[in-house]
Amino acid sequence: MKNSKLFEPISIGDLRLNNRIAMAPMTRGRAGEERVPNNLMAEYYFQRSGAGLLITEATVISKQGIGWIGSPGIYTDEMVEGWKKITEKIKPTGTPIFLQLWHCGRVSHSDFHEGNLPVSASAVKLNGDHIHTPFGAKPYETPRQMSIDEIKTTVSDYRKAAENARAAGFSGVEIHGANGYLINQFLDATTNQRNDQYGGSLENRFRFFKEVLEAILEVWPSNRVGVRISPNGVFNDMGCDDYRELYLFVANEINKLTLGYLHIMDGLAFGFHGKGEPMSLSEFRNVFQGIIIGNCGYTKESAQERIAEGNADIIAIGRPFITNPDLPERFRNNWPLNPSEDMSLWYTPGSEGYTNYEPYKP
Ligand SMILES: Cc1cc2nc3c(=O)[nH]c(=O)nc-3n(C[C@H](O)[C@H](O)[C@H](O)COP(=O)(O)O)c2cc1C
């Protein structure tokens, strides 16, 4: 396509992006048992800094938020120092880097919590095969419903994590409201069966998310905060009957907060919950005035199309960035891409399948 805007700069508030390709957040499990970011991770992000925007892998805000082996955290001084090495390596490139803040909720196991059950909006078990814990693959457990006090504590944990992200030198934070993790568990009526102020109406199901956002907005200017949602997603056993009403409500509420961006997983590359027609970016464009990032299964061509139609401002790309660290340059020059389907090295420790992919040599 001629005159593509994909390679033109764009601003998120006072931040300038060199192009409209974001690297999607991707858990890679290289932070080790202590969950402290390291030099190998710094190299990985640096190699991919040709993106207009880097969004980090999901990063746990507290011990209770843990649910994945080797994923990094942002709740101790060592973690802040570890992340600082990464942001300092990225700074000279001029590419903004947002930290994705994560609480797994029920997508966890008592093996991660000294024998205590994971928590969720309600005691609803994930219907899935098994979860990888430090002691092997285990069946999912029925989580414990969070008390109101625990909800307040978790909101404070998000605030503290946002402060730590600032101290670590990030450009901003992305709140992970997608893919069936804790915030998504509060939004979705299937996993939220509460009858207090955090369950029932759309407003109540959104309340936890809203309180998290309000806490984070005490720490960061609004344009430095992004939000990720997955209205169509089935990942982690999600999908409720009123998803369209729910996500239009969420987008409308988030619109009032003038955030940096709304990141929507609209594509069906990771499956569809099948409760009706999938939601499209144009539906969100009608209610959300800020920057929209689209994601899931995009190619250079479909990214260009979506931006040209005006339904997305930026497109986030995930898997192709794993095997093509110089993806934007490959797109720009029509260079061939390395295949990205092999998932055997996605979460394995070490540099193989992580930092050993070379930039294209014409
Ligand atoms: C290895 C891997 C790890 C992922 N980890 C995260 C994550 O930490 N946070 C998140 O929001 N999405 C995560 N995702 C989803 C991606 O951000 C993205 O939505 C998905 O890969 C679809 O985009 P793509 O078709 O461009 O790969 C992950 C995907 C992959 C393949």
Side-chain angles (χ1 to χ4, degrees), residues 231-235 238 243 268-279:
N232 297 323
V234 69
F235 187 66
M238 299 310 284
Y243 65 100
L268 307 180
F270 271 27
F272 172 47
H273 54 59
K275 305 269 177 185
E277 281 297 304
M279 292 190 75

Side-chain angles (χ1 to χ4, degrees), residues 54-65:
L54 288 168
I55 307 170
T56 71
E57 61 208 282
T59 298
V60 281
I61 58 151
S62 63
K63 267 186 97 166
Q64 200 200 47

Side-chain angles (χ1 to χ4, degrees), residues 154-332:
T154 307
V155 169
S156 307
D157 291 341
Y158 270 101
R159 184 190 293 105
K160 182 69 191 155
E163 283 167 9
N164 286 346
R166 266 198 105 145
F170 282 99
S171 319
V173 289
E174 177 176 284
I175 318 307
H176 195 346
N179 292 347
Y181 297 104
L182 185 63
I183 289 174
N184 201 175
Q185 291 158 33
F186 271 87
L187 291 178
D188 197 304
T190 314
T191 42
N192 183 343
Q193 300 178 354
R194 303 177 72 99
N195 48 24
D196 59 9
Q197 67 267 41
Y198 291 96
S201 64
L202 295 179
E203 196 181 358
N204 282 356
R205 282 152 59 193
F206 179 64
R207 190 176 309 282
F208 172 60
F209 201 172
K210 188 176 174 194
E211 289 179 1
V212 166
L213 281 163
E214 284 167 353
I216 287 169
L217 290 172
E218 287 168 18
V219 179
W220 285 92
S222 60
N223 68 295
R224 301 304 190 96
V225 179
V227 156
R228 186 171 221 221
I229 54 173
S230 51
N232 297 323
V234 69
F235 187 66
N236 282 325
D237 186 27
M238 299 310 284
C240 57
D241 292 334
D242 63 351
Y243 65 100
R244 175 162 273 108
E245 226 182 321
L246 167 68
Y247 282 102
L248 290 177
F249 177 87
V250 168
N252 196 44
E253 289 297 308
I254 286 174
N255 188 48
K256 295 178 195 163
L257 302 174
T258 62
L259 297 187
Y261 62 80
L262 177 60
H263 186 173
I264 305 162
M265 296 172 67
D266 62 299
L268 307 180
F270 271 27
F272 172 47
H273 54 59
K275 305 269 177 185
E277 281 297 304
M279 292 190 75
S280 66
L281 292 183
S282 61
E283 293 177 75
F284 287 98
R285 192 54 118 195
N286 290 335
V287 293
F288 188 77
Q289 266 95 54
I291 287 194
I292 289 182
I293 306 184
N295 169 249
C296 279
Y298 280 93
T299 59
K300 172 184 163 183
E301 289 72 26
S302 58
Q304 286 176 321
E305 264 168 43
R306 205 62 83 254
I307 291 174
E309 285 163 14
N311 289 325
D313 304 288
I314 297 168
I315 294 292
I317 309 268
R319 289 162 293 177
F321 253 118
I322 294 179
T323 48
N324 299 281
D326 55 341
L327 186 72
E329 277 309 290
R330 292 189 190 221
F331 275 178
R332 194 199 301 268

